[in-house]
Amino acid sequence: MLRDLIDLVLPADCPCGGPGPFCPACQAALAGPPEPAAPTPAPPGLPPCLAFGPYDGPLQRILLAYKERGRRDLAAPLGDRLAIGVARLLANGPAVLVPVPSTAAAVRARRGDHMERLARRAVGTLRRDGRRATLLRALVARPRPDSAGLSAAERAAAAGDAFRVRPGRTGPLRAGLAVVLVDDILTTGSTLAAVADQLRSVDIPVCGAVVIAATRRRSSPTKACRDPNRQYLSVVNSNRG
Ligand SMILES: [Zn+2]
């Protein structure tokens, strides 16, 4: 109990189990540049996405520690990465960051909306870097069943019903503002596609998305061996939004 309290104030261990709170090796795992990432096949309406690496190893441990083990201090390095991704996605001009919302149940379980926290940090970082940036909590997540174990098609169907636009939350958007979705993990892309569809339905075009990590494509073993580093990457050539 006392150890838990101490860990809440000052985490003793890094997410990797090494000396904490955030070891140089794990910092390095977050330090790479954002790269275009897309699932294969990409769902219709998925905006161009940037990710900082595959969802495994250090990135997975860091995200799980942040999301599921109360390591809120990691919102700073993770949010800063989202800011870098947004700056990469938009050469200039003001940015509107729309975090993919969690369900009310997930917010309660995690004592807060983990993506809203990251988006808030990213907006602050962008502003400190001299960019105009705004957080827009444009969406709410409907209660939904756990997607674990669902097929890609089942996930897509569930994702289509998963979000709705908050009434009155989209008023401040003006022409020229670039809306960027931010999320933690890109898997099938169905969540980001569904969110982008919801925003398009109220005339808000989405110019792209930034995530921390993208799951590796479950491709055939021969393909995976031939190109182990690039299997999660697929260059997005055009804005299909
Ligand atoms: Zn570490």
Side-chain angles (χ1 to χ4, degrees), residues 56-67:
D56 58 21
L59 282 187
Q60 185 175 35
R61 287 192 290 268
I62 293 164
L63 277 173
L64 287 174
Y66 169 63
K67 282 173 70 174

Side-chain angles (χ1 to χ4, degrees), residues 31-236:
E35 303 274 4
T40 306
L46 181 69
C49 298
L50 294 177
F52 290 88
Y55 183 61
D56 58 21
L59 282 187
Q60 185 175 35
R61 287 192 290 268
I62 293 164
L63 277 173
L64 287 174
Y66 169 63
K67 282 173 70 174
E68 313 296 352
R69 291 199 283 279
R71 284 291 306 269
R72 290 191 182 198
D73 58 304
L74 296 173
L78 290 169
D80 289 350
R81 300 318 286 173
L82 292 180
I84 287 170
V86 171
R88 173 71 61 93
L89 202 59
L90 309 173
N92 46 46
V96 177
L97 274 65
V98 175
V100 172
S102 297
T103 61
V107 170
R108 278 194 302 274
R110 294 176 181 142
R111 298 194 180 97
D113 186 317
H114 71 288
M115 283 315 304
E116 185 180 322
R117 194 182 299 120
L118 293 192
R120 204 174 290 286
R121 168 77 186 198
V123 164
T125 301
L126 287 162
R127 288 177 178 169
R128 271 196 305 279
D129 291 344
R131 296 185 64 116
R132 286 165 60 204
T134 309
L135 173 70
L136 184 67
R137 295 168 63 237
L139 298 148
V140 289
R142 293 191 168 109
R144 60 181 183 272
D146 192 344
S147 63
L150 296 186
S151 70
E154 289 165 337
R155 274 174 182 252
D161 295 329
F163 305 98
R164 65 177 170 79
V165 175
R166 283 176 191 267
R169 286 302 179 101
T170 54
L173 282 184
R174 302 183 305 276
L177 293 179
V179 173
V180 179
L181 307 179
V182 291
D183 203 2
D184 48 4
I185 305 157
L186 174 68
T187 306
T188 64
S190 57
T191 295
L192 288 173
V195 167
D197 281 347
Q198 283 288 310
L199 292 173
R200 284 188 205 103
S201 74
V202 291
D203 294 327
I204 299 174
V206 172
C207 66
V210 179
V211 301
I212 298 295
T215 53
R216 288 179 186 275
R217 198 173 75 206
R218 284 166 182 77
S219 52
S220 69
T222 45
K223 213 170 185 176
C225 289
R226 199 166 54 233
D227 198 0
N229 296 316
R230 295 190 60 80
Q231 49 183 304
Y232 79 100
L233 289 177
S234 165
V235 172
V236 180

Side-chain angles (χ1 to χ4, degrees), residues 13-27 58 61-62:
D13 297 331
C14 183
C16 69
F22 196 36
C23 80
C26 288
Q27 291 178 41
R61 287 192 290 268
I62 293 164

